[in-house]
Amino acid sequence: MKTSKQRIMLCGLGKVGKAFLRLIDEKRDEILSKEGIELILAGIADSSGSASVRDGEIAPRELLGHLESGGKAADYGSFGRDDLDGVDAIKKGDFTLLVETTPTNMKDIGPAFHHMMSAMQRRMTIVTANKGPLVLQYGPLHRMAKDSKVAIGLSAATAAALPTVDIGVGPLVGTRIQRIEGILNGTTNYILTSMARENRCYEDALEEARRMGIAETDATLDVEGWDTGNKIIIIANRLFQTELGPKDIEVEGITKLDLNDIRQAMVNNKVIKLIGSIKNSNGKLVLQVSPRQLEPDHPLSGVDYSEKGISFLTDTMGRVTVTGGKSSPMGAAAALLKDLVLLSRNR
């Protein structure tokens, strides 16, 4: 088996970035043996600066120890730099692949967009968990990727470990996707399930989700529906070759629901779920996020707690549904690694 080397630049050393480091430390020998892909961590960057090597590599386990003791990229080893940010490091370094895990910023493009554009100028493959650039600047990114003949793997930005885009571009090739429905946010699904199964009010269910680490301290994007909405926008753009943005989707979250709504649905033998949907009507797409009452036979009605699911209705294969997928930083890291391997094969 011919071995290919992937020299990785990792931008973002938060929860997902650290999970990715743990994963490549654990899986690198297996991936080399099975896939013939040698994973070489050659550069890192965070808000403090960057560190990179031209010869050799950065040991993921040693880097994790540095980070967990309070260290940063700029003070790592003898080659940390506080005068070179991620873009500078990408431009100067010797890398083949960018892993982008900086914090998502839905108010502006943040550093992630510039990391990705700089990487494509260097003909680097990209895998990303950051939804911001994919929602706010999908058009420029897509055109740059096409012009540079590089690929962007975005599974980790579209429900992490749950395969969403993968299903549409793989198993459903040759079909016409007529409708997509998804439970794409573990926090809101946990809250709704807890309200229905445990008779908790909305506030108590949200607090329990925070206590369990399922919900962030600020869960606004989740409960107001925009995390689901952003994922739906990305899925629509990739699968239908469009350039839609936040203005092209109608979003309603779960903040107005109370126990009476949940109980009334149960009386009617239905269950309320926050559903993100894409309706394809002769090429015209309608994107929506809203709480919906599902019948018991709906394929997503039994997706509970922090589980997620996505269901495709097609013209020739009928309905295809996938559920599950870990809702955690490790689930996102696993999606990054999956994209990395798949794109390395194609490369």
Side-chain angles (χ1 to χ4, degrees):
M1 180 188 299
K2 185 178 180 181
T3 299
S4 67
K5 294 184 178 182
Q6 286 286 12
R7 292 184 58 81
I8 298 169
M9 174 67 186
L10 172 62
C11 288
L13 299 174
K15 291 180 181 179
V16 175
K18 290 176 183 175
F20 179 78
L21 291 172
R22 293 187 186 94
L23 198 56
I24 60 172
D25 183 61
E26 175 188 340
K27 298 283 189 179
R28 59 180 298 171
D29 290 343
E30 180 181 343
I31 289 171
L32 179 59
S33 174
K34 290 183 177 180
E35 302 288 342
I37 301 168
E38 185 178 1
L39 304 179
I40 301 170
L41 182 65
I44 56 172
D46 60 14
S47 59
S48 73
S50 65
S52 62
V53 294
R54 282 194 171 272
D55 299 313
E57 62 182 300
I58 298 171
R61 190 172 301 182
E62 292 179 9
L63 174 58
L64 278 167
H66 173 74
L67 297 173
E68 288 169 357
S69 65
K72 298 179 180 179
D75 57 19
Y76 182 68
S78 61
F79 39 85
R81 301 278 298 271
D82 61 7
D83 59 336
L84 294 180
D85 62 13
V87 169
D88 295 327
I90 290 168
K91 289 179 177 179
K92 294 176 180 292
D94 177 23
F95 313 111
T96 60
L97 187 140
L98 170 67
V99 178
E100 224 303 330
T101 67
T102 57
T104 291
N105 183 348
M106 297 309 305
K107 295 181 180 179
D108 59 55
I109 53 179
F113 176 78
H114 302 292
H115 293 157
M116 295 169 73
M117 293 294 281
S118 298
M120 286 188 284
Q121 290 171 0
R122 298 291 306 276
R123 302 291 296 274
M124 293 165 60
T125 300
I126 297 170
V127 296
T128 181
N130 196 312
K131 291 184 282 293
L134 298 173
V135 172
L136 300 176
Q137 292 290 332
Y138 184 84
L141 287 171
H142 176 70
R143 290 189 289 274
M144 182 66 173
K146 186 175 180 180
D147 291 344
S148 303
K149 295 182 173 59
V150 298
I152 301 175
L154 43 73
S155 294
T158 55
L162 176 75
T164 54
V165 168
D166 306 48
I167 302 297
V169 300
L172 299 184
V173 166
T175 71
R176 183 182 303 115
I177 299 173
Q178 299 169 325
R179 188 174 181 87
I180 302 173
E181 297 172 310
I183 296 173
L184 303 177
N185 182 270
T187 296
T188 52
N189 203 44
Y190 181 91
I191 291 169
L192 293 174
T193 304
S194 183
M195 292 173 73
R197 296 280 187 87
E198 301 167 27
N199 205 35
R200 294 179 185 269
C201 68
Y202 168 82
E203 291 78 9
D204 288 349
L206 173 56
E207 188 56 39
E208 177 67 6
R210 288 194 181 110
R211 188 187 69 78
M212 294 183 67
I214 296 169
E216 298 288 344
T217 302
D218 183 1
T220 302
L221 283 176
D222 299 319
V223 298
E224 291 186 353
W226 274 104
D227 178 71
T228 298
N230 291 331
K231 292 169 182 174
I232 285 292
I233 290 169
I234 298 169
I235 292 168
N237 284 337
R238 174 55 65 89
L239 296 187
F240 297 97
Q241 302 299 304
T242 55
E243 295 183 8
L244 303 177
K247 69 181 186 305
D248 300 304
I249 185 170
E250 181 182 338
V251 174
E252 178 186 353
I254 65 170
T255 56
K256 296 178 182 179
L257 294 175
D258 59 27
L259 272 174
N260 289 330
D261 299 310
I262 303 297
R263 290 167 180 162
Q264 187 58 52
M266 295 173 68
V267 167
N268 296 330
N269 197 30
K270 296 181 180 180
V271 60
I272 295 180
K273 299 290 184 182
L274 184 68
I275 300 293
S277 65
I278 304 168
K279 184 179 179 182
N280 179 14
S281 179
N282 297 319
K284 181 180 179 181
L285 302 184
V286 178
L287 280 58
Q288 185 178 30
V289 177
S290 65
R292 282 179 44 197
Q293 293 192 25
L294 303 184
E295 300 283 353
D297 61 352
H298 191 285
L300 298 178
S301 65
V303 178
D304 289 331
Y305 290 104
S306 60
E307 290 276 281
K308 292 173 284 191
I310 190 163
S311 186
F312 297 82
L313 183 64
T314 73
D315 61 338
T316 53
M317 291 188 183
R319 187 179 285 275
V320 176
T321 303
V322 182
T323 64
K326 200 169 187 178
S327 294
S328 69
M330 185 54 74
L336 290 166
L337 184 60
K338 173 196 66 179
D339 280 354
L340 188 162
V341 171
L342 291 176
L343 294 179
S344 297
R345 285 178 183 171
N346 294 336
R347 183 184 178 95

